[in-house]
């Protein structure tokens, strides 16, 4: 396999660019409020750089900045969610998804919460763990505010019982 000099230089520059760079969010929410609608989906997205090993998304404890109290998605370097479904809190099972693009030095993580309910109104966090065991993990928090309501129409006259309308 032949590799051009230009390709080798580009690879070397990419490798050198992440050496010694601390973990960093390039698009932090910094505890900002994001609005979601009942029965809809909401997606949170973070751009990051540095030597990122894993990206974790979950229920945040706003008093302890690097603490995720309930893990929802745990993405390794290959964009594989390595969190056992049984460890995801019951209320979120089947309603969360995450993806990671890029590489460990520059990338993006997106997390989606499906079928939003009023109970989902809270803080969520994204935690980046470093490749370097001597470096500290960093996190960013976002607050989800939920709007909308459930309206039930009585359709008993049509033999269907109650029907949910959002």
């Amino acid at each position: 396999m032949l590799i051009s000099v230009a390709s080798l230089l580009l690879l070397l520059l990419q490798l050198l660019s992440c050496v010694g760079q601390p973990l960093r969010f390039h698009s932090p929410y910094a505890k900002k409020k994001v609005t979601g609608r009942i029965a809809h989906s909401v997606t949170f997205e973070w751009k990051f750089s540095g030597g990122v090993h894993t990206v974790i998304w979950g229920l945040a404890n706003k008093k302890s900045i690097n603490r995720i109290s309930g893990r929802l998605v745990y993405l390794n370097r290959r964009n594989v969610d390595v969190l056992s479904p049984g460890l995801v809190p019951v209320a979120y099972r089947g309603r969360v998804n995450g993806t990671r693009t890029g590489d460990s030095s520059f990338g993006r993580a997106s997390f989606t919460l499906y079928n939003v309910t009023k109970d989902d109104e809270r803080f969520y966090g994204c935690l980046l763990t470093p490749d370097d065991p001597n470096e500290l993990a960093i996190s960013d928090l976002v607050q989800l505010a939920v709007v909308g309501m459930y309206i039930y129409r009585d359709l008993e006259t049509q033999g269907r019982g109650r029907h949910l309308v959002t």
Side-chain angles (χ1 to χ4, degrees):
M1 178 167 91
L2 294 175
I3 300 176
S4 71
V5 173
S7 295
L8 281 174
L9 285 174
L10 181 60
L11 180 61
L12 182 61
L13 284 174
Q14 287 177 336
L15 289 172
L16 290 175
S17 68
C18 70
V19 172
Q21 283 191 4
L23 298 180
R24 181 173 165 218
F25 284 106
H26 293 277
S27 55
Y29 285 96
K31 297 185 182 179
K32 288 180 188 165
K33 190 180 287 188
V34 171
T35 303
R37 292 186 48 80
I38 287 179
H40 288 79
S41 298
V42 63
T43 299
F44 305 99
E45 183 176 281
W46 283 270
K47 294 177 186 172
F48 58 82
S49 66
V52 177
H53 184 68
T54 58
V55 182
I56 302 166
W57 180 62
L59 310 176
N61 178 343
K62 70 177 184 174
K63 294 183 191 298
S64 177
I65 192 73
N66 278 346
R67 180 169 160 79
I68 302 293
S69 60
R71 293 179 178 177
L72 301 176
V73 179
Y74 191 107
L75 300 172
N76 67 13
R77 294 177 129 217
R78 295 183 308 254
N79 190 34
V80 175
D81 188 355
V82 296
L83 187 62
S84 169
L87 296 177
V88 174
V90 173
Y92 292 91
R93 289 184 192 161
R95 297 194 310 124
V96 293
N97 184 35
T99 59
R100 175 181 176 172
T101 57
D103 57 29
S104 68
S105 58
F106 297 100
R108 176 182 306 206
S110 297
F111 301 99
T112 302
L113 174 60
Y114 301 96
N115 195 21
V116 171
T117 70
K118 191 68 173 167
D119 291 336
D120 295 327
E121 195 168 69
R122 60 173 303 128
F123 277 91
Y124 294 88
C126 180
L127 179 71
L128 303 179
T129 64
D131 284 333
D132 182 349
N134 296 315
E135 191 175 340
L136 296 174
I138 64 168
S139 65
D140 185 47
L141 303 182
V142 60
Q143 183 180 10
L144 177 63
V146 177
V147 297
M149 65 176 112
Y150 293 111
I151 301 170
Y152 289 94
R153 285 191 181 159
D154 192 355
L155 300 177
E156 290 179 18
T157 57
Q158 298 170 353
R160 295 190 212 153
R162 298 183 87 173
H163 178 71
L164 173 64
V165 178
T166 57

